[in-house]
Amino acid sequence: MFDTMVITKAVAAFCGALLVFLLGNWAAMELYVPRNANAPQAYVIDTGTDEPVEAAAELTFDEAYAAADAAAGARLWSQCRACHSLEQGRNGVGPYLHGIVNREIGDVDGFNYSGALAQAGDVWTPEIMSDFIQNPSAVAPGTSMSFRGIASVTDRANLIAYIESES
C-alpha cells in the first residue's frame, strides 16, 4: 500500500504546505510591521514619573470615622440591604441594624444568631464594626454571614456613619 510514490506525494504535500505558511508569514510581516519598527526613538517626552513617589500614609479608622460622610455611605448600603434592614424590629436574612452602634453584640430579639459572634466582643463599637465589615470570618470564625468584606477604611467609616445616621 505504501510505495515510493505515496511517500513522495506525502513529503511533497508537507513541503508545499510549509512553503505556503512561510510565504504567508513573509507577506504578513511586510503588510503589518512598519519599516522602522526597530529604529531608535526619535525624542523622549519627560513626564516626571522617574522620581520615586512617596506612598500616601493610610488613614487609621479613627481618622476616617471622624471625617466620615454618611451620604457616601448610602451607596454602600446597597451591599448590606440584601440581608439587613434599618427598620427597627424587621429582621431579614440578617438582623436589623437600627441602633447597632454601641448596642450589645447578639442582642436582637427574634433573630437566631450562629453563636460565632461571642468572639467579637461585648458591644458593637465603630472599631469592631469596621473590623467585622472588613472581614466577617476573621472577627467571628464560623459566622454564617457570607460577605466578602469592604477593604477601604474610608468606605467602612462612611457606611458605619450612614447606618448610625439612619438609626
Side-chain angles (χ1 to χ4, degrees):
M1 176 161 178
F2 287 110
D3 58 357
T4 307
M5 187 59 132
V6 172
I7 294 174
T8 304
K9 285 193 244 180
V11 170
F14 178 75
C15 290
L18 184 62
L19 182 62
V20 168
F21 286 130
L22 287 174
L23 289 173
N25 183 32
W26 172 77
M29 293 300 265
E30 289 297 318
L31 288 174
Y32 297 115
V33 176
R35 294 177 194 219
N36 58 355
N38 295 328
Q41 194 171 4
Y43 55 90
V44 177
I45 299 174
D46 184 19
T47 60
T49 59
D50 293 342
E51 301 153 4
V53 178
E54 292 182 22
E58 189 169 325
L59 287 174
T60 64
F61 176 74
D62 293 331
E63 293 169 344
Y65 191 63
D69 180 18
R75 69 175 174 79
L76 296 167
W77 171 248
S78 63
Q79 297 178 26
C80 307
R81 184 184 347 199
C83 300
H84 298 281
S85 170
L86 284 175
E87 183 181 325
Q88 187 169 357
R90 189 175 144 228
N91 294 323
V93 174
Y96 68 88
L97 299 181
H98 183 273
I100 191 169
V101 178
N102 295 322
R103 180 173 72 194
E104 288 186 28
I105 294 178
D107 189 36
V108 172
D109 292 331
F111 188 77
N112 186 17
Y113 287 96
S114 64
L117 287 177
Q119 302 170 21
D122 296 330
V123 176
W124 283 117
T125 63
E127 292 80 14
I128 291 176
M129 286 180 64
S130 173
D131 292 341
F132 190 74
I133 293 170
Q134 181 180 12
N135 189 355
S137 59
V139 174
T143 184
S144 59
M145 183 172 166
S146 61
F147 179 65
R148 62 180 164 78
I150 298 174
S152 170
V153 111
T154 306
D155 286 347
R156 292 193 311 265
N158 291 341
L159 178 62
I160 294 168
Y162 173 74
I163 292 171
E164 190 173 23
S165 72
E166 292 295 313
S167 295

